[in-house]
Amino acid sequence: MQVKGFLASAAQAGIKYAGRYDLGLIFSQTPAVTAGAFTTNKVKAAPVQLDMERLRSGLAQAVLVNSGNANACTGKEGMEHALATSALAAEALGIDPSLVLVASTGVIGQPPRKPFTQAMPGLVAGLAPDGFELLAQAIMTTDLVPKIATATLDIDGVEVSILGIAKGSGMIMPDMATMLCFVVTDAQIVFPVLNRLVKSGVEQTFNRITVDGDTSTNDTVLVMANGAAGNPWIDEDNPQAAALFGAALQGVFKELALKIVADGEGATKLVTIRVVGARDEHEALNAAQTIANSALVKTAFFGEDANWGRIMAALGRSGCTFDPQRVGISFDEVHLVENGLALGAEQEAAATGVLKQPRFTVTVQLNEGRGEAEVYTCDFSYDYVKINADYRS
C-alpha cells in the first residue's frame, strides 16, 4: 500500500554491521499533524527526549531512524548527536530542523557513531512511495521478520489510508516495549483528536504485550497525518468519523503488536492471557500481566506442559482479589481447573494438545466481578537465552 504524500527510504550506513539496512527516513511532502507515545522508563534515550520536546508543536515532516545503536545513556554527546543528525536530515530535505524527529534502537551505552553524513544523500535520493518495506527491514535488530500493517476506511465518502511499520522482539514489556512503531496516514485530523486516539490505542495494544518483562529506554510510537486524502476534518464535531478512524488505527496497532510478540526472541508460541470475572479491569490487567510475565509459566508453554499450578501461583502474587477455591482455568476450549481443582488426567491431556499449537488462549475465571483484560505474550525457549547472552558480540 502507498499513502498519499508520504515517502520512505532505507540505506546501509554500517552503523553496527556492514551490508545490512540500518538507517531509514520517512518524509511527508507537507508538514503533518503528529502525535506520539514513548517509554515510561525513567531512563530515556536522547532521541526520545528530543522527540517529546519537539512534539509539543503537534507537527512533524520527517522521521530519521537507525538500528544498531540506541543512543541511550550517552550523556551530552548523545543529545548532540540526535540534534546533529536531525539537522543533517533537515538540510538535505530543505525543511526546518524542528520538523525532524529521530528514533534509535540497538545497544545501550555505546557512544553514537556518525556514518549518517555519508549515507544521507542516498537516503534522500531514494525516497519513494513504496519505500516502507525497506524501512521496515532497516529498523530490525534481533527481529526475524519485518512488521507491516495497513488499513483503509471510508470517511464521509473519501478513502483514507493507514500504513504502519514496527520493530520489536526482545526487551518487550509495557509500558511500552523495546519497540519502534511508525504510522502514516493521509487522513485530515486535528491534533487533539489524533493525540487522544494514539494514547488510547497504545494503551489497548502495545501496552498489553510482553515478551520478557523488560521495559526499554527507546520505546517510540509516532503517528503522522498529512491530510492528503482531503476527507472532511476529523475533529470533536465529527465523533462518528473519529470513532471510525480510531478503530482502524487501533487495528493497525494491534496487528503490529501481535507480530512483535509472535517474533519474540526465540518464541515458538503466541499466547493470549485472558482474565475474566475480576472485580475491575485494573485488577484483571494486573493478574493477566503477572501470569504473562512469569518465567515458569512461559517455560511451561515452551515445554508444552499444562502445568496450571504455575498459573495459580502467579495469580496469587498479582495483587488481584480472588478466592482460590473459585478459580477456573481453560486452555482454548479445554477446561482444566474448576473451583480451584484439577478436572483430571483426561482434561490435562487435552490441554497439552492445545499447547502444541502455535497460538492459543489461556482463560482465567475469577468469579469476583465483571472486570476483564487480555495480555499477549509468548513462550521462553532456549534461543531466548542464547540471543541475549550474545547480543553485544
Side-chain angles (χ1 to χ4, degrees):
M1 173 192 284
Q2 298 178 7
V3 180
K4 293 177 183 177
F6 280 102
L7 310 171
S9 64
Q12 298 178 5
I15 294 170
K16 185 177 179 182
Y17 302 111
R20 63 165 286 177
Y21 290 102
D22 54 10
L23 187 63
L25 183 65
I26 299 172
F27 179 61
S28 175
Q29 293 172 324
T30 57
V33 175
T34 305
F38 301 93
T39 181
T40 58
N41 196 318
K42 189 173 183 178
V43 180
K44 291 178 171 60
V48 169
Q49 297 178 49
L50 181 61
D51 290 356
M52 291 177 71
E53 177 64 28
R54 287 185 172 176
L55 275 184
R56 291 181 179 180
S57 71
L59 288 175
Q61 197 167 353
V63 180
L64 180 66
V65 55
N66 73 275
S67 62
N69 188 314
N71 193 11
C73 302
T74 47
K76 182 179 178 181
E77 181 185 1
M79 182 56 72
E80 290 174 349
H81 178 73
L83 289 165
T85 53
S86 68
L88 183 68
E91 182 179 6
L93 293 168
I95 62 177
D96 192 284
S98 66
L99 293 174
V100 179
L101 304 177
V102 292
S104 299
T105 183
V107 177
I108 294 172
Q110 292 187 349
R113 301 178 183 180
K114 298 183 179 180
F116 294 75
T117 302
Q118 186 174 353
M120 190 59 66
L123 196 63
V124 173
L127 285 168
D130 59 356
F132 286 91
E133 289 189 12
L134 278 183
L135 179 63
Q137 295 178 38
I139 62 177
M140 293 167 60
T141 50
T142 58
D143 306 60
L144 297 179
V145 295
K147 301 167 182 69
I148 302 175
T150 63
T152 59
L153 66 153
D154 184 288
I155 300 291
D156 295 328
V158 178
E159 184 177 87
V160 170
S161 299
I162 305 174
L163 182 151
I165 65 169
K167 71 81 52 185
S169 187
M171 201 182 277
I172 300 292
M173 166 64 184
D175 301 305
M176 290 175 294
T178 188
M179 51 156 287
L180 302 178
C181 173
F182 309 108
V183 176
V184 297
T185 176
D186 49 21
Q188 193 162 231
I189 184 170
V190 298
F191 175 76
V193 173
L194 180 63
N195 190 50
R196 171 172 58 82
L197 294 176
V198 169
K199 297 294 193 294
S200 62
V202 165
E203 180 60 33
Q204 294 299 318
T205 57
F206 295 121
N207 281 355
R208 301 294 175 96
I209 63 175
T210 178
V211 168
D212 48 21
D214 272 303
T215 301
S216 173
T217 56
N218 289 62
D219 310 329
T220 299
V221 174
L222 297 173
V223 180
M224 305 176 73
N226 64 8
N231 58 282
W233 279 98
I234 301 172
D235 55 24
E236 299 294 358
D237 294 327
N238 195 350
Q240 184 177 4
L244 285 171
F245 181 82
L249 179 64
Q250 186 168 315
V252 169
F253 282 172
K254 184 172 181 179
E255 184 176 345
L256 291 171
L258 292 179
K259 287 182 177 182
I260 287 173
V261 178
D263 193 29
E265 290 170 340
T268 68
K269 303 180 191 302
L270 172 60
V271 187
T272 299
I273 306 295
R274 182 168 179 257
V275 174
V276 298
R279 288 193 175 185
D280 55 40
E281 183 184 3
H282 176 73
E283 288 208 351
L285 182 58
N286 279 346
Q289 288 180 334
T290 305
I291 295 167
N293 278 320
S294 167
L296 289 177
V297 170
K298 290 158 69 70
T299 51
F301 290 156
F302 176 66
E304 298 173 354
D305 176 12
N307 191 339
W308 61 271
R310 293 183 177 183
I311 295 172
M312 285 288 285
L315 185 64
R317 61 181 169 81
S318 68
C320 184
T321 302
F322 70 100
D323 180 349
Q325 296 183 35
R326 300 180 67 192
V327 172
I329 300 175
S330 301
F331 289 5
D332 281 351
E333 302 304 317
V334 178
H335 298 296
L336 188 60
V337 175
E338 190 172 307
N339 295 324
L341 299 174
L343 292 177
E346 185 176 340
Q347 291 302 99
E348 184 165 328
T352 299
V354 171
L355 290 176
K356 296 184 181 298
Q357 301 172 169
R359 296 190 177 203
F360 56 86
T361 297
V362 175
T363 301
V364 178
Q365 170 63 261
L366 299 181
N367 291 302
E368 294 287 344
R370 296 184 178 182
E372 60 181 73
E374 287 187 349
V375 172
Y376 310 100
T377 189
C378 61
D379 57 341
F380 262 161
S381 71
Y382 309 124
D383 287 338
Y384 178 84
V385 176
K386 292 178 182 177
I387 289 167
N388 285 284
D390 296 335
Y391 182 63
R392 293 203 306 169
S393 58

